[in-house]
Amino acid sequence: MLRKIIFATLLAAPLVFAQTNENKGSGTKAPTGTEAQPAGGRIRDERVTVENMTFWKKNATDGKGDYLEFTFDIVNKTEDNIPLKMFIIAFNERDLVDAEYRRYVEYPKWRKWDEDKKMHKLVLYNSIPETKHEEVAAFARKKEEAVAKNGGYKPKEEEPQPAGNKKKSPTLKQFLQYVQYIHENPNSGLDVMLQGFEDTKFTRKVEPTYRIEEKALKTNVWGKLLSRYRVDRKFFNHIGLVLYDTEAKKIVHRQFYSINGKFKIL
């Protein structure tokens, strides 16, 4: 039972990737679909709206961690079916400031640029459908090598792992690299049929981590993403939703929310 609604504010920082448009000035056909869209930031489409976004925190009964549970409605503003692919992601992103050290040694007031506050690190990441971190790492590496080949910076070499060392968890890439990976692989999302008026029927898809209910002009989504227990007890502080129209071949909704305040555990 939902005892307390946690409100979220739109993530203020712009999420924009530099893109190379090979068709520009070449006289060929202008890019369409996701090729013509930025790989980050908020995207809206007048045909589709997302309403009643609510999320809360709940203990996992198996003791493995805490769940970020959520529910929202996808509303069709047209009379036609809109076939969608859906991605839901949750993550914890923090700056590089050592809070414990800063308690004793304050940052110099005369130095206005605090690089540690500007740089961010991804601490937690989970998604529906599940993201394979090694695929994102390979994708990011390929992008970096392409930039280096075109005269940009040289990609950082991966640090070799000691022999016999088994990594307990994957090394997370930068958040924007996950966004760009989704942007360029939109068909890997969950199938959602946003129904119109014609030949509508109620359908329900139930999986361990989500439930999708489809009916005329509206689809309701409920889901949960696990934040496994850590020594520092970190939990998700952002959640994002991406919807891709498979017919128009473009993203019709993309928004990221920042979770403010403390959760009341249910």
Side-chain angles (χ1 to χ4, degrees), residues 24-190:
K24 187 175 182 180
S26 63
T28 58
K29 185 178 179 181
T32 60
T34 56
E35 294 181 358
Q37 294 178 304
R42 186 176 67 174
I43 291 179
R44 289 285 184 276
D45 189 296
E46 61 182 10
R47 300 174 300 140
V48 179
T49 62
V50 174
E51 301 176 356
N52 305 319
M53 170 69 83
T54 304
F55 35 91
W56 59 97
K57 184 178 181 181
K58 193 172 184 178
N59 288 128
T61 56
D62 56 11
K64 292 182 179 179
D66 295 317
Y67 282 109
L68 174 63
E69 296 193 358
F70 51 85
T71 183
F72 56 87
D73 297 320
I74 308 172
V75 181
N76 191 344
K77 295 294 186 179
T78 75
E79 297 182 359
D80 303 317
N81 291 345
I82 304 177
L84 301 173
K85 291 284 187 175
M86 179 177 69
F87 300 85
I88 305 165
I89 64 177
F91 57 100
N92 181 296
E93 188 181 45
R94 65 175 181 83
D95 58 34
L96 301 185
V97 174
D98 187 336
E100 190 66 23
Y101 178 76
R102 291 283 177 92
R103 286 177 57 189
Y104 302 101
V105 181
E106 294 184 0
Y107 189 79
K109 294 181 179 180
W110 55 267
R111 186 181 295 169
K112 296 181 180 181
W113 176 262
D114 189 345
E115 186 175 357
D116 289 340
K117 283 188 176 182
K118 302 297 181 181
M119 302 294 290
H120 291 81
K121 178 181 180 180
L122 204 62
V123 179
L124 297 172
Y125 185 94
N126 203 348
S127 65
I128 299 174
E130 183 179 0
T131 302
K132 294 182 178 180
H133 300 286
E134 60 273 16
E135 291 184 3
V136 177
F139 169 83
R141 186 73 180 176
K142 186 177 180 180
K143 289 290 183 182
E144 291 172 352
E145 290 174 349
V147 171
K149 186 177 180 180
N150 291 327
Y153 64 90
K154 182 180 180 181
K156 183 180 178 181
E157 294 293 332
E158 297 284 347
E159 294 183 4
Q161 294 295 319
N165 180 45
K166 294 183 178 180
K167 299 174 69 175
K168 294 183 178 179
S169 59
T171 301
L172 298 177
K173 306 302 291 183
Q174 292 182 358
F175 164 65
L176 290 179
Q177 290 171 327
Y178 284 86
V179 177
Q180 190 175 35
Y181 176 80
I182 290 173
H183 180 270
E184 297 193 20
N185 297 275
N187 284 308
S188 60
L190 294 181

Side-chain angles (χ1 to χ4, degrees), residues 169-226:
S169 59
T171 301
L172 298 177
K173 306 302 291 183
Q174 292 182 358
F175 164 65
L176 290 179
Q177 290 171 327
Y178 284 86
V179 177
Q180 190 175 35
Y181 176 80
I182 290 173
H183 180 270
E184 297 193 20
N185 297 275
N187 284 308
S188 60
L190 294 181
D191 288 308
V192 174
M193 177 55 72
L194 188 55
Q195 299 184 52
F197 272 135
E198 296 291 332
D199 301 321
T200 61
K201 60 181 180 179
F202 177 80
T203 63
R204 175 180 290 166
K205 306 171 187 176
V206 180
E207 295 293 340
T209 59
Y210 65 86
R211 181 182 70 245
I212 301 173
E213 296 181 348
E214 301 169 349
K215 54 186 177 182
L217 300 179
K218 182 183 288 188
T219 296
N220 173 261
V221 179
W222 171 90
K224 61 180 182 180
L225 290 167
L226 179 65

